[in-house]
Amino acid sequence: MTEYRRVAHARADNVDLVVEFPSAPRPARVWWATWDHHRDGTVLGETPVALAGDGSVHRFVPALEHAAAGFRWAW
């Protein structure tokens, strides 16, 4: 499992996260996830995300505060 997460210790407005994957290999599955800690930690929730045609995933969050959020994927 691989991941990319961003952490907001204070309030961060208009957070825009994008992960771009090479043309090969591309992950078999991708999830938008939140964690209970900025390092390691337990996944609190996750939602499947579809890869765009260019092999990227994107999520805009109006506000992120005292949270760790990002993408997880499995090859």
Side-chain angles (χ1 to χ4, degrees):
M1 186 72 63
T2 306
E3 64 188 43
Y4 176 78
R5 70 175 91 171
R6 300 305 300 163
V7 176
H9 296 287
R11 184 178 173 92
D13 292 319
N14 301 317
V15 177
D16 199 19
L17 293 175
V18 178
V19 175
E20 297 177 358
F21 296 97
S23 57
R26 291 208 171 140
R29 293 171 295 179
V30 182
W31 301 268
W32 171 256
T34 56
W35 290 264
D36 66 352
H37 195 267
H38 68 281
R39 288 193 179 174
D40 300 321
T42 301
V43 174
L44 297 175
E46 61 186 14
T47 304
V49 178
L51 285 172
D54 64 356
S56 67
V57 288
H58 173 257
R59 178 65 56 113
F60 174 78
V61 180
L64 191 62
E65 187 170 5
H66 303 293
F71 295 102
R72 295 176 359 111
W73 58 91
W75 298 104

